[in-house]
Amino acid sequence: MVMSSIRDKVCMVGIGTTDYGNFPETDTYGLGSQALLSALDDAGLQVSDIDGLIVNRIPSYERFAEMMGINPRYCLQTEAPGRYSAVSLMLAAQAIATGAAETVALVYANNGRSQRVFYGGDEGEWAPWGMSSPGASHAMMFQSHMNQFGTTAEDLGHISVAFRKHAGLNPAAVMRKPMTLEDHHNSRLIAEPLRLLDYCLINDGGVAWIMTSAERAKDLRQKPVYVSGFAREDLFDTASIPRQDYWYPALKRIESQVYENAGISRDEIDGLMIYDNFSPTVMFALEGLGFCKQGEGGQFIQNGMLELGRGRWPTNTSGGHLSESYMQGWALIAEAVRQLRGECGDRQIPDARAIQYIAATPISSSIILRRD
């Protein structure tokens, strides 16, 4: 399928999110069902309207469908890594555009905090050298970026501070306490040069989206948000070790595709949602998608470039993974939809018409959402 052929034919019509925090009294089934019921209410739909289901980080799609009373004609369980948030959206869009389903519910739930889930920790050949967690791998990548381009660890502070400012405007964010560059610099090192405030926040929570055709969306409760275009590139040739190219080749190929698929230019983008499991990935994404030249990300993010009311492209207006909660891309896409609906209150991007999501990961991706 030529991706430009489904431009604006699929819409996001329902968004549901739970609180984020520590909820040992429930599990991923409970969190997912809460998010889905909220998304259905948001869209003005009933469970019986759902004929497609994609679940993520919920142990059994079959059990979840049984609990919710869904008998879909299209059903899928995607892999747990956060890169699959964008993949899930793309698969749902393709299913709707081809008629495999009309209305798809996508449900994510994570109880990592209450269950004390640790990401990484594999006992592989690189573990003795500290590569036992995603943070260590990203630290090594950023060390390489510093050596190659002269970037500094202090540059990362501008990312963390900007997103914390946004979180202060978001009642749902877990971390809302104001942060300064000095606070960032004084936070303890985890994997040099990454500090505590460069790491995402593991919490319990759930996110659900409802997607349907543009024709069906016209009759629903919310203003439709169109999936205008997306692109994806995978780099698995060094999947077990830190990449020394920062996924740049894949991101450049995405840059050449996503704007063409969406039929708009970078200059028409009003805000960004960038996958920020660790702060360096924001810089890698900005460089890879051409918002600045490679090696100039450290300078680009200074002087409030990512901040609401100051920068050209306000980024992660919810607080992102670094300050709202680590919902592995799902809540960032929910925030994009809410921005385009004009529902974000004090953190609203004025007259937002197009928002771009970017993830720099082994499955790199970008999605452009827009409103009429």
Side-chain angles (χ1 to χ4, degrees):
M1 176 184 292
V2 178
M3 290 302 103
S4 60
S5 68
I6 64 173
R7 180 190 302 162
D8 298 336
K9 292 183 179 179
V10 177
C11 293
M12 310 287 284
V13 296
I15 294 295
T17 52
T18 68
D19 291 337
Y20 306 129
N22 184 33
F23 310 121
E25 69 279 5
T26 188
D27 59 11
T28 53
Y29 291 103
L31 292 163
S33 61
Q34 182 183 342
L36 177 53
L37 290 172
S38 178
L40 287 167
D41 180 67
D42 184 56
L45 291 169
Q46 304 297 319
V47 171
S48 58
D49 294 311
I50 300 300
D51 64 352
L53 177 66
I54 296 178
V55 301
N56 187 270
R57 296 197 74 94
I58 296 172
S60 168
Y61 62 88
E62 186 177 35
R63 174 62 179 142
F64 184 78
E66 180 184 33
M67 291 174 60
M68 298 301 299
I70 300 173
N71 289 309
R73 57 192 177 105
Y74 176 91
C75 190
L76 185 64
Q77 183 164 1
T78 53
E79 294 284 340
R83 63 199 74 158
Y84 279 90
S85 53
V87 171
S88 297
L89 186 151
M90 294 174 188
L91 291 171
Q94 291 166 346
I96 294 166
T98 58
E102 181 181 47
T103 304
V104 180
L106 300 95
V107 187
Y108 166 91
N110 191 337
N111 62 345
R113 180 173 174 183
S114 61
Q115 297 301 306
R116 301 297 185 263
V117 172
F118 293 93
Y119 290 75
D122 297 332
E123 295 182 1
E125 60 180 306
W126 296 96
W129 288 270
M131 296 299 105
S132 58
S133 73
S137 296
H138 285 75
M140 178 170 278
M141 283 193 287
F142 194 65
Q143 286 274 19
S144 178
H145 197 279
M146 292 166 63
N147 292 333
Q148 184 175 359
F149 299 113
T151 324
T152 69
E154 288 71 24
D155 292 334
L156 297 177
H158 294 277
I159 297 171
S160 298
V161 168
F163 296 174
R164 181 63 62 84
K165 286 182 179 179
H166 299 162
L169 303 174
N170 178 11
V174 172
M175 297 296 290
R176 304 183 67 200
K177 180 181 178 181
M179 180 206 305
T180 65
L181 289 171
E182 184 178 7
D183 293 331
H184 176 271
H185 179 72
N186 291 334
S187 63
R188 64 186 175 91
L189 284 168
I190 304 296
E192 193 173 1
L194 301 191
R195 298 180 177 275
L196 179 65
L197 296 178
D198 293 309
Y199 276 62
C200 61
L201 302 169
I202 306 301
N203 286 287
D204 301 344
V207 181
W209 316 322
I210 308 293
M211 297 174 60
T212 193
S213 66
E215 183 177 356
R216 175 84 168 96
K218 295 175 183 177
D219 299 325
L220 299 183
R221 178 174 293 166
Q222 298 290 354
K223 291 182 282 187
V225 170
Y226 294 86
V227 180
S228 285
F230 50 79
R232 163 187 170 181
E233 289 283 340
D234 304 351
L235 288 177
F236 297 145
D237 54 339
T238 58
S240 62
I241 59 175
R243 290 196 68 89
Q244 298 305 294
D245 62 10
Y246 332 108
W247 302 293
Y248 188 77
L251 292 166
K252 294 309 291 182
R253 288 193 290 273
I254 287 171
E255 179 192 10
S256 69
Q257 299 165 11
V258 69
Y259 299 113
E260 179 180 355
N261 290 342
I264 66 175
S265 69
R266 184 187 298 107
D267 289 340
E268 295 175 86
I269 299 298
D270 299 303
L272 301 173
M273 303 295 157
I274 300 180
Y275 197 92
D276 57 331
N277 50 348
F278 307 97
S279 56
T281 58
V282 176
M283 193 179 299
F284 301 157
L286 290 167
E287 293 183 354
L289 267 293
F291 289 88
C292 60
K293 293 181 181 179
Q294 188 175 31
E296 296 182 2
Q299 294 178 330
F300 180 79
I301 60 178
Q302 296 180 20
N303 301 317
M305 177 58 73
L306 307 183
E307 293 182 20
L308 277 162
R310 298 184 64 191
R312 168 63 181 83
W313 287 288
T315 303
N316 292 11
T317 50
S318 61
H321 296 142
L322 296 180
S323 283
E324 183 188 38
S325 184
Y326 184 50
M327 293 288 106
Q328 298 189 275
W330 291 77
L332 285 171
I333 292 173
E335 174 74 2
V337 174
R338 288 169 171 159
Q339 282 286 348
L340 292 168
R341 290 180 182 175
E343 297 175 344
C344 291
D346 291 340
R347 67 182 193 277
Q348 180 65 47
I349 299 172
D351 196 31
R353 294 182 176 273
I355 303 288
Q356 184 171 3
Y357 171 84
I358 308 168
T361 73
I363 297 178
S364 291
S365 58
S366 185
I367 301 164
I368 293 177
L369 302 173
R370 72 165 188 88
R371 67 176 173 89
D372 278 332

